[in-house]
Structures are given as C-alpha cells and as structure tokens.
Amino acid sequence: MFKDNLLKGKRILVTGGGTGLGKEMATHFAKHGAEIFICGRRENVLEETANELTKEYGAKVHFSTLDIRDSKDVDSYIQSIFDSGPLDGLVNNAAGNFISPTKDLSPKGFDAIANIVFHGTFYVTHAVGKRWIESNHKGSIISILATWVWTGSPYVVPSAMSKSGLNAMTQSLAAEWGQYGIKVNAIAPGPFPTKGAWERLNPNGEDGSVMGDHPMGRVGEMNELQNLATFLMADGCEYLTGQTIAIDGAQYLTGGGTFSNLSKLSEDDWEQMRNMIRSSNNKDKADR
Ligand code: HXC
C-alpha cells in the first residue's frame, strides 16, 4: 500500500510496543523506514520485539521498561529520548483492561485501569507535546481507543470511561496544538484478536463472539490497522486532526441500530414480513 521509505527519518514512540497491537504498528513503521522506540512493563517482550524488528527490517529499535502510571518516570524517559533528538510520532497504545461486572469492581480494580489508560496516556502525551512546542517541532499523535467512546460499554466501564476521556483529549489538543503543527488523532479498533486483550476480554472463546455479532462476519486483520496507523503517521494529510477513526467493519454502527438483528433474516423470512406489512397496509387502505 505504501512506499517502503514512507516513514524514513521519523522517530516514533509506541507505548506498550512489545506485544499486541503496539507491536503490530511498530513493526509496520519499522518496515517503512522509521526509527522505533518501544516501552512497557516487561523487559523480555520488549527486547524480543526490538531484536525481531532489527533482524527483519534492519530497523533502529530502542526499548525501555516504563510504567506509564508514574508521571516522573514518564517525563525522564521522554527526556532521555529527546536528548538524542526529537520524536516525530507518538502512539498511545499501552492500556489495561479486563471484563467484570461493575458491581464487583474494587476501587483498586478501577484505579488499575484508569491509572494506566486515562492518567498514563495523558502523562506521555503531555511530556512529548510540551517538548515539541518548546522546540517548535511538528509531530503526530495517535491514541488507540475503542468504539466505546461513542456507545459506552457494559462490563468494561473503567476502560470505557477512561478512553472516552482520551477521546476528549484528542479533540481538545487538536484544537489547542494545531497552531504548533501537532496533529492529534485516535483510532478505535473493533475486534482485532491479540493475546493480551483476548485473555482478558474473551477468556472463554476464540471467535470473538462474546463481543457481539459482526456485520462482516469476521474480526479485523492486522494489516488493516497497520495501514491506517501508518497513514496517520505519514506526512501529507496534516489537515486531518482531532478525529477518532473507527476501524471495526461497522460493528458499532450495526450494534447501535434498532434493527441490527434483522441481518439474520432469510429471504423467506423477508417475504413473510413483506406480506404481513402489505396486509396491514391494505387493511388501512380499506378504511380510508
Ligand atoms: C476483577 C480484577 C481483575 C478481574 C484485576 N483486578 N483483574 N478485579 N476482575 N479480572 C483487580 C485486582 O483484584 C486488584 O484489586 C486490582 O485490580 C489491581 O490488580 P493488579 O493485578 O495488582 O494490577 P496490575 O498488576 O497493575 O495490572 C493491571 C491490570 C492488568 C489492568 C489489572 O490486567 C494488566 O496489567 N493489563 C495489561 C494488559 C491488558 O490489559 N491488555 C488488554 C488491553 S485491551 P484488589 O482490590 O483486589 O486489590 C484494551 C481494549 C480492547 O484495552 C478493545 C477491544 C474491542
């Protein structure tokens, strides 16, 4: 889809880039020439991913352990990157989530998610953004959200609340930081199976059915998400900012529609429905 050198010369940080969606995006950026920074809580997976990307694409990949819940650690980590040169892109991918009836959540359970998603993502965005503004350097920010920012979602309330806050951050910072050439967007992926997310959100099954019927009858393919992230990270579409783009095969639109379940009807069912509706219409007409 893109030229191999599309992101050449760009330095991009992907939080939580050692595994899951973060690794997939980091891989695609590396494949297209970017220098990559990944951080997360587990050194072994970060190191493995860094080695893999270097071996596969000859990419320059730096990794560091970081818990984004600690604002001081975040600031020193971002400073250490900027000491060797500015970043050009940031992907706020690190997150935490698990399904649970909300009545069973403890305050610590709520905080575990809100501190990572809501607070941590702000700390990283702030630490990078203020350095871009100070040094008059342009940049692109992508936050990985979920379609719950528009619909809410039962059983993942701390995540839905936190990601909704980040949706507001995306819109607000696009308006506030546009004058500095900082592009702020978000991606709301539908079901893209990854080990970390599936173990916590779909612990019983493999097919994603716990997340509802899908209008396209399939989950997302990783290259679809990679292409969108790469497009948002590349130069050439600076006017696109403040947007949260769903990539979910219209799942959330379908789920939200009053008549979504009608997609299950057969041709025969429809014929029967049509006849019933016509018969009502005809009865009405006879009374006119
Ligand atoms: C109820 C739970 C729980 C569960 C943890 N807790 N898991 N409560 N049900 N399944 C509670 C604990 O009991 C504890 O509270 C509190 O949460 C903190 O738990 P810790 O394990 O000590 O927290 P911590 O080690 O900080 O781990 C954070 C975490 C964990 C969020 C709980 O799952 C994590 O590290 N996840 C990172 C990866 C991840 O979640 N990836 C999926 C992202 S998917 P008490 O009161 O008992 O001490 C995503 C969106 C996907 O974000 C969108 C798909 C459409």
Side-chain angles (χ1 to χ4, degrees):
M1 196 171 201
F2 305 110
K3 283 186 190 152
D4 282 351
N5 63 356
L6 184 75
L7 300 177
K8 194 167 172 4
K10 288 203 184 291
R11 290 157 53 93
I12 303 172
L13 167 62
V14 182
T15 65
T19 53
L21 300 185
K23 179 180 175 181
E24 298 291 342
M25 289 181 280
T27 302
H28 212 244
F29 298 152
K31 189 176 168 192
H32 289 83
E35 181 176 346
I36 305 295
F37 296 79
I38 52 176
C39 61
R41 285 176 290 168
R42 290 174 292 158
E43 188 162 26
N44 59 335
V45 293
L46 292 167
E47 188 172 12
E48 227 171 83
T49 296
N51 290 339
E52 208 178 300
L53 299 192
T54 303
K55 199 171 153 205
E56 188 79 15
Y57 305 109
K60 224 173 171 184
V61 185
H62 314 262
F63 66 91
S64 181
T65 52
L66 177 73
D67 188 336
I68 62 169
R69 288 178 278 199
D70 189 315
S71 60
K72 285 203 180 85
D73 286 353
V74 167
D75 203 60
S76 357
Y77 172 60
I78 299 300
Q79 184 56 48
S80 74
I81 297 178
F82 275 73
D83 283 344
S84 67
L87 283 170
D88 301 286
L90 163 66
V91 180
N92 287 315
N93 165 78
N97 202 0
F98 53 77
I99 48 170
S100 169
T102 306
K103 68 179 175 50
D104 298 336
L105 282 174
S106 68
K108 260 181 83 183
F110 178 87
D111 289 348
I113 294 168
N115 286 344
I116 300 172
V117 182
F118 186 64
H119 291 263
T121 304
F122 176 78
Y123 299 152
V124 180
T125 305
H126 181 253
V128 172
K130 72 179 183 187
R131 286 176 172 83
W132 279 339
I133 293 166
E134 273 162 20
S135 60
N136 201 18
H137 192 85
K138 293 178 179 176
S140 176
I141 299 172
I142 304 171
S143 298
I144 303 303
L145 305 183
T147 55
W148 313 327
V149 304
W150 300 298
T151 60
S153 183
Y155 304 105
V156 284
V157 168
S159 170
M161 288 171 65
S162 301
K163 286 186 183 270
S164 297
L166 299 180
N167 188 43
M169 180 187 83
T170 300
Q171 295 170 318
S172 310
L173 288 183
E176 188 175 329
W177 289 355
Q179 61 182 310
Y180 307 114
I182 301 173
K183 195 164 81 164
V184 192
N185 290 296
I187 296 176
F192 282 81
T194 63
K195 190 173 177 293
W198 250 230
E199 280 170 359
R200 294 172 179 90
L201 302 177
N202 188 24
N204 294 333
E206 295 291 318
D207 62 355
S209 55
V210 72
M211 294 184 202
D213 290 335
H214 196 285
M216 286 175 70
R218 67 168 177 89
V219 293
E221 285 168 17
M222 228 33 108
N223 70 306
E224 296 171 321
L225 178 76
Q226 288 172 321
N227 286 333
L228 175 58
T230 300
F231 166 73
L232 289 175
M233 201 43 86
D235 295 330
C237 215
E238 278 61 40
Y239 220 47
L240 198 177
T241 189
Q243 302 304 309
T244 297
I245 302 171
I247 177 161
D248 73 335
Q251 185 189 36
Y252 94 92
L253 295 171
T254 312
T258 311
F259 299 109
S260 304
N261 280 339
L262 296 187
S263 63
K264 292 186 190 124
L265 295 188
S266 66
E267 285 302 319
D268 286 347
D269 293 334
W270 274 114
E271 186 55 32
Q272 219 178 332
M273 295 276 227
R274 265 191 294 270
N275 289 337
M276 285 156 75
I277 296 167
R278 276 191 199 118
S279 139
S280 299
N281 287 347
N282 290 339
K283 255 189 241 155
D284 277 8
K285 275 182 197 161
D287 291 339
R288 278 181 210 155

